[in-house]
Amino acid sequence: MALTIDVTGKTVVVIGGTSGINRGIAELYAEHGAKVAVASRSQDKVDDTVAALKAHGAESMGFAADVREYDAIVAGLAQVAETFGEIDVLVSGAAGNFPATVNAMSPNAFKSVVDIDLLGTMHVMKAAFPHLRKPGASVINISAPQAFLPMQGQAHVCAAKAGVDMITRTLAMEWGPDGIRVNSVVPGPIEGTEGMARLAPTLEMLSKVAGTVPIGRLGQPGDIGMACMFLGSDLGAYVSGQILAVDGGWSQAGCGDMSSFLGKMLRQMGG
Ligand code: NAP
Ligand code: COA
C-alpha cells in the first residue's frame, strides 16, 4: 500500500508566508487542499499571497502584523482560529537579515534582527499555543545554518537563529505532553530568494555557492515545503525537538566558503 500525506481540510498557518521560501510552503499546502493562513508586515504582500493561494483552489486568509508586536500576533492568530478552527500545522519563518560585521553595525541593527527572528519566534509560539490542535499539532520553525555555523557578517543572525533552535528544543519538551511536536527546518541556499540576494548578491557568488552544495544544485522553495509536509504529517509522528537541515548536504562542509565570501565582500566595502 502506498504511503500518502493527506492535508485536505487541515489548517495551516505560515507566519512570514508572503514571499520566498515561506510562501513556497504556503503554496504547496494550498495546492494540496489545506486551508492556509499567512501573515507578514505588508498588507499588499498578504493580499497578493492570499489571492494566489485562492487561485490554487484553497480556502485562504491572512493578516498584516509585525512579529515584534505580540498583541498584533495574538489578535491575528485568534482571528485565524475563529475562522479556520484549530491549527494543525504552524510554520514560523519571519526573519530579517543583512550582511554586516559587528564593527559596522549599531546596537539597534543587531537588536532588530534578534527582535524579528528570536523574539518574534517566541511571540508566534506563545500566541499560537491556545489554538494548536491538542493532540496532533506540528510546529515548524524555519531556522538557518547560521544557528550552528559561525559566519562572518552574520553575528546577529547566528545569535538569533541559535536561539530559535533552542526554543524549538525546549518547546518539544514543554508541549510534548499536549501532543504537540516542535521541530526546526534549516534551509540551504534557496534559489531566487531575498536571503540569497542579500548574502550572495552577484552571479559569481551565487554560482560559487551552488558549486559547494554536495548534491550539486541550489535548493528550491518546494524542497523546504516537502520537508514541512513530512514533519507536519503522521509520517513524522515520532519526530520532535529536531533540527532538520534541508540543504543538499551544504552544512556538512561548513556551507562551503560562505563565511569567507561574506568576510571578503564586507572588507572590500570598508566594513
Ligand atoms: P523573505 O522572502 O524575505 O521572507 C521573509 C518573510 O518574512 C516575508 O514574508 C516578510 O514579509 C516576512 N517578515 C519579515 N520581517 C517580518 C516581521 N518583522 N514581522 C512579520 N513578518 C516579517 O526571505 P527568504 O529568503 O525566503 O527566507 C525565509 C526564511 O528562510 C527565513 O526565516 C530565513 O532566515 C530562512 N532561510 C533562508 C535561506 C535562503 O536561502 N533564502 C537560507 C536559510 C534560511 P514582510 O516584508 O511583508 O514583512
Ligand atoms: N548594515 C548595517 N546596519 C543596517 C543594515 C546594513 N546593511 N541594514 C539595516 N541596518 C540597521 C539600520 O541602520 C538600523 O539601525 P540604526 O537605527 O542604528 O540606524 C537597524 O538596522 C534597523 O533598521 P530598520 O530599517 O529601521 O529596520 P526595519 O525593522 O525596518 O527592517 C531589517 C528590518 C533591517 C532586517 C530589514 O532588512 C527587513 O525588513 N528585512 C526583511 C526581509 C529580509 O531580511 N529577508 C531575508 C530573510 S533571510
Side-chain angles (χ1 to χ4, degrees), residues 92-159:
S92 177
N97 192 357
F98 48 83
T101 61
V102 168
N103 287 348
M105 79 171 85
S106 67
N108 191 50
F110 190 92
K111 181 178 184 295
S112 68
V113 169
V114 170
D115 280 354
I116 298 168
D117 294 24
L118 180 53
L119 208 63
T121 299
M122 187 272 186
H123 288 164
V124 170
M125 296 296 103
K126 192 167 170 62
F129 180 75
H131 311 297
L132 294 173
R133 189 176 300 286
K134 301 173 196 74
S138 172
V139 175
I140 301 164
N141 288 319
I142 304 299
S143 184
Q146 290 91 322
F148 49 87
L149 289 173
M151 243 179 237
Q152 297 181 63
Q154 292 285 277
H156 45 355
V157 178
C158 291

Side-chain angles (χ1 to χ4, degrees), residues 202-221:
T202 64
L203 271 178
E204 190 199 353
M205 280 178 83
L206 198 60
S207 78
K208 273 189 182 162
V209 169
T212 62
V213 180
I215 217 162
R217 65 169 175 87
L218 295 169
Q220 299 297 322

Side-chain angles (χ1 to χ4, degrees), residues 250-270:
W250 196 45
S251 57
Q252 299 304 315
C255 296
D257 282 337
M258 191 62 146
S259 178
S260 40
F261 290 162
L262 283 171
K264 199 171 147 201
M265 179 180 89
L266 293 167
R267 274 188 294 280
Q268 277 167 357
M269 289 163 60

Side-chain angles (χ1 to χ4, degrees), residues 7 9-18 21-23 25-27 29-30 34-40 49-50 53 59-63 65 67 72-94 123-125 127-129 131-133 137-142 228 232:
V7 299
K10 300 265 186 199
T11 296
V12 177
V13 178
V14 186
I15 304 295
T18 63
I21 295 170
N22 304 323
R23 178 161 165 163
I25 298 166
E27 295 211 18
Y29 273 103
K35 296 181 280 187
V36 184
V38 292
S40 79
T49 306
V50 168
L53 299 175
E59 278 185 68
S60 176
M61 64 183 291
F63 63 94
V67 291
I73 298 297
V74 168
L77 285 173
Q79 205 187 344
V80 169
E82 201 180 304
T83 313
F84 282 172
E86 288 180 308
I87 300 170
D88 296 289
V89 179
L90 170 68
V91 179
S92 177
H123 288 164
V124 170
M125 296 296 103
F129 180 75
H131 311 297
L132 294 173
R133 189 176 300 286
S138 172
V139 175
I140 301 164
N141 288 319
I142 304 299
C228 293

